[in-house]
Structure formats: structure tokens, C-alpha cells
Amino acid sequence: MSQKTPLYDWHRQHGAKLVEFGGWQMPVSYEGVLAEHQAVRERCGLFDISHMGEFYVEGPDAENFLQKLTTNDVSRLKDGEAQYSLLLYDRGTAVDDIIVYRLGSERFMLCVNAANIDKDREWLKGHLSGRVTLDDRSPEMGMIALQGPKSAEVLARLGFKLDSLKRFQCVEAALGGVKGLVARTGYTGEEGCEVFLSGKDLLSLWEVFLKAGDNSGIRPIGLGARDTLRLEMGYPLYGHELSDEINPLEAGLSWVVKLEKGDFIGREALVKIKEQGPMRRLVGLVMEEPGIPREGFAVMRGAETIGKTCSGTFSPTLQVGIATALVSPSSGAESGENFIDIRGKMKKAKITKLPFISQKK
Amino acid sequence: MNFPEDLKYTTEHEWVRIEGDVATVGITDYAQEKLGDIVFVELPEEEETIDKGDTFGVVESTKSVSDLYVPLTGSVIETNDPLLDSPEIINEDPYGEGWMIRLKLKNLQEVKELLDAKAYQKLIEEEEGA
């Protein structure tokens, strides 16, 4: 039985196509993925992402606990700052990718992927030690993202200056009278914010944003465009570019792995992998022939399979098929001709660095 | 949603316009709506003979891939090549400019097995109700 966000009825009433995602009934699109994608790149879009999970980690030993469980350096955070991070298994592969928010010296919030809420909670619980508590508030909390170049203008109409926050900072604020935690984060590569709030206030804030954004061309955006937007930026999606079989060094995420910070779960394995050199590396592929790569397609160099695609789609910005893939590091793949096996047909593709498009902010 | 009375339909959501021994084939309004924004189409070579039920091409939207099935045995006499550069035409005008292939039919008896507009509409209601 899949869960519904407090905006479920709103989505249905506004023509959303709904799909099951991570155990939730979520809108995949309203007017169409391409139009929604473009709205976010050119104006601004509003996302109901209440399927995401929120855990509160509190107590005098909360920071030590998170240092042990996550790969990034929690000690670098000040109150009101956040960092992208990872939970790893001992073997160095990923339990999940998360954002850690420091709300106070003994108070942290973790934002985790919807499909991993139960797994992450049990993983964290199983490692609790000292004076620290874990509270999974995912069921009663909601989350809305406002993304796009006009986001600052929309927030300004609500009396909130986006520039008062740096990237990955957050603050408690009231927007149109609705209280929430406003974070300058996102998953699109565009300017904007994500707001955490009580699920019972979700519809109020949603309507506040739609009204404030009316003159800025604001649109509700489904998970379809959320995926094309994140893929153009090369942002990983758990289960695709990162998983319990993929480690962060392969996924190009060594920048969130702070080996020098002291011990953490998975560190030993990563040190070894780093010494030996990762077995695979994440690259981008841009099609040079008509065709759209999808997940799990073979990447070929001549007759040799050099890897497999993690995600693939049609890039609305570049108007061409794009994919991420894990390929063998020794393939020297940039220099020669590469192909993607699209349902039995070899289609030429060029290996590129990620992201596919440059970040504006 | 619109299902013209003068067309025939398949359970795979293709429409067929029969004119003598030539059939024009496309996908229905329901199919394009379900797929969402169509961003890629693959069509067969002309003169290729295809058996009923075989695939003749592929349509892809941002999220999904669907095979196209030949509703009637025949040889491909024409393909709608402008779709290759502008697949969005299928979303905009599925029964008109969005047509995909023209077939010279080998067995006119097969036409009887296609659905009429009423039967197709009933099929969709059942799919939606399920």
C-alpha cells in the first residue's frame, strides 16, 4: 500500500499523472515533462518532495555519532549549515546519499531518500551509542522545493531574501505566515530553496508559493522533470549512480569523503580501494546518433563491453540522448569511438565529463 | 479524448485508416497522452514487408519506450519522415500529421479483426478502470 503526501488530492485535481515511487504515490508530470523542465530552467517550478525522509539526531554525542556514520566532515558545520554526505557499508558501498543539517550543537537533521527511509533508520539505530537519540519524523513532515532563476524573486515577494543564505545554509522562517526550515539547496542545478515543514501546513505553503509565483510563471513540477533536471547536472540518484554495489570513489563523489577526518564506517574499505584504484568510474555519454539510452544498456568500445549505463534520458536542454555510465577506468574511452547498445543497435556516443550542462549558480 | 469513427484500432493503441488496399497507421490520442512528450521515433525502411503483430518501430517519451506493432500484414510503401526530426507532431496531431507508416496490405481479411471506435473506447475504459 503506497503512501500519499498531503498534496495528493491537489495533484489529482490539477491533472497530474501519478506513479508509485519509493513507496509513495507521486506526480510524475502535470502538463508534460518537457514544458516542466523548461519552466524550471527558464522561470521557476514547485516540487512536492514530501516523500523524502527526515531524521532528527539529537544529544551531546550526536556529532560524534554522525562523524562515525557519515563520510563528510560534520565538525566543519556551524549552526544553520548543511552538507551533502553518504552513509556507507563496511565494504565502502552506499547505504544512501543524504544531506546533514546542523540545527544546533546537539541537534542535526538528515534528509534521506524516500525508498531508503526504513533501511537508513534501522542502519542508524543499529549503530547508536552514547547520549544520542534518533527520531524519524518522515511520516509527519513534508518538503517543498522551489527551483529556477526566478526563485529569488518569488521569495522576495514573501519577504524572504534568498541571498541572506549561502548555498547549503538554512534558517527557520515564515513564508506567507507558514513556518518551515528554508534551505538553499536543490536537485536541479538552478537557484532556489527547499523547505521542510509539518505535513499539515504543506498545502498552505504550496498555495502561498503558487500565488507569489503567479507573475513569475511558476508551475508545479513532477518527478519526470526532476529526473531530467538532475541528470543534466550529473547529480547521482540512489539506485542508479550510487547503490549498495557502487562506492563513492567510483561514483565521482570523493569530494564528500573526508578520509582524513578520522574513522567512519566504510573508511578502511575506501582507503584500500583508493590505493588499488577504483574498478569503475562514472562518466557522461552524449549520443552522436539518434537514439535515447536508458538504464542498464551496455557501453561498447568496438566489440568490447567497457561498462553499463546507470541512467539515461532525452536531455530537453541539449535536445539529445544522454546517459551516465560506469565504465572501466583503463578503457581510455575518451579518445576512441564508443557505442551504446540500444536494444540491439549500436549507436555512437561520446564520453564527456559531468555535468552535461554548466551550473548557472 | 478523441477517437474518430472512420478509423480502426488495435489493442496496442494504434489506429488504422483503410483506403482500398492501403492502410495508414499511427498511435491513438490515448497512446500519445499516456506516453507524454514524445522525443524519439524509429520507423522502418520502405519496401520492407512486415507480418501482422511484428514491431515496425519505436516511440520514446522522456520516460518510456514503446514498440510499435504492425496491425496488418503488408509492405511499407511510405514512412512519415518529418517525425524523425519533429516527433512532437505525434502529440500534437496523432490522427493527422502524426501518421507513421503506409502499408500495402497483403491480406484484406485481417481488417475484420481490428476494433471499431466504440470497441476501442470500451477497451480504454477497462484499462483505466483496472
Side-chain angles (χ1 to χ4, degrees):
Chain A
M1 188 60 192
S2 55
Q3 303 182 72
K4 293 171 184 168
T5 87
L7 286 169
Y8 177 80
D9 288 333
W10 191 96
H11 298 319
R12 288 197 58 161
Q13 285 156 14
H14 291 79
K17 287 182 194 171
L18 293 151
V19 290
E20 158 96 26
F21 182 83
W24 292 76
Q25 281 291 313
M26 298 300 291
V28 66
S29 66
Y30 303 82
E31 57 182 314
V33 174
L34 296 180
E36 291 166 33
H37 183 106
Q38 195 178 7
V40 175
R41 287 273 181 256
E42 292 174 3
R43 303 188 304 276
C44 59
L46 204 55
F47 302 73
D48 174 14
I49 45 174
S50 300
H51 58 314
M52 302 293 286
E54 295 85 10
F55 299 164
Y56 282 76
V57 178
E58 290 170 281
D61 293 323
E63 184 178 312
N64 285 340
F65 170 71
L66 290 174
Q67 278 296 58
K68 181 84 197 301
L69 269 291
T70 67
T71 61
N72 211 331
D73 188 353
V74 185
S75 73
R76 291 191 196 176
L77 292 177
K78 299 190 187 80
D79 292 354
E81 290 181 351
Q83 66 188 189
Y84 180 58
S85 194
L86 302 163
L87 302 174
L88 298 184
Y89 292 107
D90 284 315
R91 61 181 182 272
T93 60
V95 178
D96 201 3
D97 61 335
I98 65 174
I99 294 182
V100 179
Y101 297 82
R102 177 167 147 154
L103 306 176
S105 59
E106 300 183 1
R107 192 157 179 261
F108 296 83
M109 184 183 77
L110 313 184
C111 178
V112 308
N113 281 301
N116 293 337
I117 291 173
D118 293 344
K119 181 181 76 173
D120 292 357
R121 187 184 56 239
E122 295 315 306
W123 176 254
L124 292 166
K125 262 190 183 168
H127 290 88
L128 283 178
S129 69
R131 293 162 298 166
V132 55
T133 59
L134 175 74
D135 185 12
D136 177 4
R137 295 204 200 147
S138 313
E140 68 263 21
M141 282 188 69
M143 189 174 174
I144 290 174
L146 172 70
Q147 301 275 294
K150 303 236 176 200
S151 299
E153 166 184 308
V154 175
L155 287 163
R157 282 193 202 110
L158 299 169
F160 187 90
K161 280 175 74 174
L162 186 57
D163 276 338
S164 66
L165 293 176
K166 291 185 187 142
R167 291 266 305 153
F168 279 84
Q169 284 187 338
C170 61
V171 67
E172 296 277 354
L175 300 169
V178 186
K179 282 187 201 155
L181 178 71
V182 182
R184 192 165 176 183
T185 49
Y187 197 43
T188 64
E190 298 296 333
E191 190 59 274
C193 68
E194 295 175 315
V195 187
F196 297 90
L197 72 168
S198 164
K200 43 182 210 307
D201 295 331
L202 201 72
L203 181 58
S204 305
L205 183 62
W206 185 260
E207 287 178 336
V208 161
F209 271 139
L210 286 177
K211 195 159 171 249
D214 197 28
N215 287 332
S216 307
I218 199 168
R219 291 282 180 278
I221 312 295
L223 292 186
R226 184 169 160 83
D227 193 50
T228 53
L229 289 159
R230 74 93 194 163
L231 192 52
E232 285 186 342
M233 294 310 300
Y235 295 154
L237 173 62
Y238 190 87
H240 296 259
E241 287 77 16
L242 200 60
S243 75
D244 59 4
E245 293 176 352
I246 303 170
N247 71 59
L249 304 183
E250 294 173 321
L253 294 174
S254 50
W255 61 279
V256 290
V257 178
K258 301 294 168 16
L259 292 173
E260 72 284 3
K261 76 167 182 173
D263 192 34
F264 60 87
I265 298 175
R267 183 179 182 279
E268 221 171 292
L270 291 186
V271 168
K272 244 178 231 159
I273 293 164
K274 203 178 172 185
E275 275 169 21
Q276 294 162 354
M279 298 292 286
R280 304 174 289 187
R281 67 196 170 97
L282 190 75
V283 295
L285 287 153
V286 177
M287 297 309 299
E288 296 189 299
E289 287 186 274
I292 302 171
R294 306 284 178 181
E295 183 188 353
F297 287 5
V299 182
M300 313 289 294
R301 184 143 198 241
E304 185 198 357
T305 302
I306 60 164
K308 207 164 85 171
T309 56
C310 304
S311 300
T313 193
F314 174 80
S315 161
T317 302
L318 301 174
Q319 291 283 307
V320 69
I322 58 171
T324 52
L326 282 166
V327 300
S328 68
S330 57
S331 55
E334 278 85 353
S335 52
E337 281 201 336
N338 301 288
F339 297 87
I340 299 182
D341 181 348
I342 298 185
R343 292 179 298 277
K345 289 179 187 162
M346 297 301 148
K347 297 287 178 76
K348 221 166 127 184
K350 196 172 124 194
I351 290 194
T352 63
K353 288 214 173 92
L354 297 169
F356 294 101
I357 64 168
S358 58
Q359 192 162 11
K360 289 177 223 159
K361 293 278 174 180
Chain B
M1 223 169 280
N2 169 26
F3 305 107
E5 293 284 335
D6 59 329
L7 301 180
K8 299 285 184 191
Y9 299 87
T10 73
T11 55
E12 303 292 341
H13 307 289
E14 279 108 12
W15 58 261
V16 186
R17 178 177 288 118
I18 308 285
E19 287 156 310
D21 63 350
V22 172
T24 305
V25 181
I27 63 168
T28 66
D29 198 14
Y30 175 77
Q32 71 78 19
E33 169 72 26
K34 274 277 157 193
L35 283 165
D37 294 322
I38 294 170
V39 292
F40 180 72
V41 188
E42 204 170 76
L43 297 174
E45 298 289 320
E46 280 174 24
E47 291 174 36
E48 200 176 326
T49 298
I50 314 179
D51 287 333
K52 180 187 166 201
D54 283 356
T55 61
F56 73 81
V58 170
V59 274
E60 298 200 34
S61 65
T62 44
K63 284 306 278 181
S64 66
V65 185
S66 303
D67 284 321
L68 298 165
Y69 296 96
V70 177
L72 302 162
T73 303
S75 55
V76 180
I77 53 169
E78 201 180 344
T79 57
N80 189 8
D81 293 338
L83 296 182
L84 301 177
D85 284 329
S86 306
E88 68 278 4
I89 295 170
I90 299 165
N91 290 120
E92 289 157 9
D93 189 10
Y95 301 115
E97 295 297 314
W99 69 274
M100 292 175 171
I101 55 168
R102 288 210 168 90
L103 293 166
K104 187 162 174 62
L105 300 178
K106 290 260 156 48
N107 180 0
L108 285 168
Q109 291 299 311
E110 288 175 353
V111 175
K112 288 184 201 155
E113 296 162 31
L114 298 173
L115 307 174
D116 63 16
K118 210 174 260 172
Y120 179 64
Q121 211 152 346
K122 193 148 177 273
L123 174 91
I124 288 170
E125 279 160 21
E126 275 164 23
E127 279 197 12
E128 288 294 285

